[in-house]
Amino acid sequence: MTRSEEDGHWAQVYEAKAPTTVSWYQETPEQSLRALDRFEATACSSLIDVGGGASSLVDALIEQGWQDLTVLDIAAPALAASKARLGAMAEKVRWEVADITIWRPRRKYDVWHDRAVFHFLTEPEQREGYRSALSRGVAEDGLVIIATFALDGPEKCSGLPVQRYDPASLAAEMGDGFQLIDGWLEEHVTPWGASQSFNWCAFRRTG
Ligand SMILES: C[S@@+](CC[C@H](N)C(=O)[O-])C[C@H]1O[C@@H](n2cnc3c(N)ncnc32)[C@H](O)[C@@H]1O
């Protein structure tokens, strides 16, 4: 798939399906909220949700009083769905329609959050582009939380092939400047009751 076909793919997914019916839907982003708490991110931190789609993570963080929130996604309709859900609260968030593999952050964030995006980057140059954005976009001592399909997770999502990881292989992708501080598994249950094994990792920026 070319880059523009990928943009189109994701836009079509969000145009065709209600956000509550996609396999990755979760009513409450429990793993993310627990990890932010455990690794001592607070409402004073800045956070970017990379490939945030129509996730309600941002809703939960607004409710907790976070002031500096950005949601980036390649699919404009995904962000439109979140804005519609949030109503006037949407003004509290910065929204970026961009492809993370070519995006150049203009600032740094204390927290970089990615649930189920990095695993779609099956080409080395896509991962190189992602790492370049990560390196420019994460503050010194910043926290990086990434969830991918685990080694026993699905081989495809949304009709696209994925690369599956465990903490060691994801840490190898992140490189020397990001220290793995924890890795854990989650069994995500889709809206139709199927189980998907996720690999969650937290990294601290060290270099
Ligand atoms: C499986 S969904 C996960 C959405 C969200 N993180 C969540 O947990 O609900 C993957 C998301 O990544 C977005 N995406 C895929 N490739 C991307 C890219 N290269 N740059 C930015 N977003 C991308 C898709 O539009 C989609 O919203």
Side-chain angles (χ1 to χ4, degrees):
M1 230 187 238
T2 65
R3 194 164 269 155
S4 63
E5 282 168 342
E6 272 184 39
D7 296 11
H9 169 83
W10 287 107
Q12 275 173 22
V13 167
Y14 285 103
E15 273 159 5
K17 294 185 177 181
T20 52
T21 64
V22 293
S23 62
W24 56 93
Y25 171 72
Q26 45 180 3
E27 194 176 333
T28 309
E30 273 173 28
Q31 296 292 327
S32 307
L33 293 173
R34 214 176 293 157
L36 290 170
D37 198 38
R38 194 147 64 91
F39 301 113
E40 295 172 359
T42 69
C44 300
S45 313
S46 53
L47 177 142
I48 181 163
D49 192 10
V50 173
S55 163
S56 63
L57 176 62
V58 76
D59 310 39
L61 297 179
I62 291 172
E63 202 165 301
Q64 289 182 8
W66 290 56
Q67 306 273 342
D68 188 347
L69 296 167
T70 301
V71 182
L72 175 147
D73 203 279
I74 203 166
L79 301 186
S82 284
K83 286 184 201 171
R85 186 183 65 237
L86 282 163
M89 302 287 261
E91 284 170 26
K92 293 178 177 281
V93 178
R94 291 183 190 85
W95 305 94
E96 292 262 6
V97 177
D99 177 345
I100 192 60
T101 67
I102 53 171
W103 186 61
R104 291 288 165 264
R106 291 178 298 277
R107 56 165 294 193
K108 294 196 186 292
Y109 302 88
D110 300 318
V111 184
W112 177 285
H113 176 272
D114 162 351
R115 174 175 178 264
V117 185
F118 186 77
H119 64 196
F120 287 109
L121 309 182
T122 53
E123 299 298 328
E125 58 272 23
Q126 294 176 311
R127 296 195 292 275
E128 191 54 48
Y130 183 103
R131 270 191 299 270
S132 167
L134 181 77
S135 165
R136 285 165 192 256
V138 177
E140 203 178 322
D141 292 330
L143 176 66
V144 176
I145 298 169
I146 301 185
T148 65
F149 281 156
L151 296 182
D152 61 347
E155 291 176 8
K156 284 189 160 199
C157 178
S158 188
L160 300 176
V162 301
Q163 177 80 44
R164 298 173 295 175
Y165 294 93
D166 62 8
S169 54
L170 191 58
E173 287 289 341
M174 293 302 117
D176 287 343
F178 294 91
Q179 189 189 351
L180 179 68
I181 48 178
D182 200 9
W184 66 99
L185 290 169
E186 176 213 2
E187 285 301 318
H188 166 66
V189 180
T190 68
W192 50 93
S195 188
Q196 297 183 328
S197 182
F198 271 79
N199 160 57
W200 284 83
C201 289
F203 300 89
R204 185 71 66 188
R205 182 161 205 167
T206 54

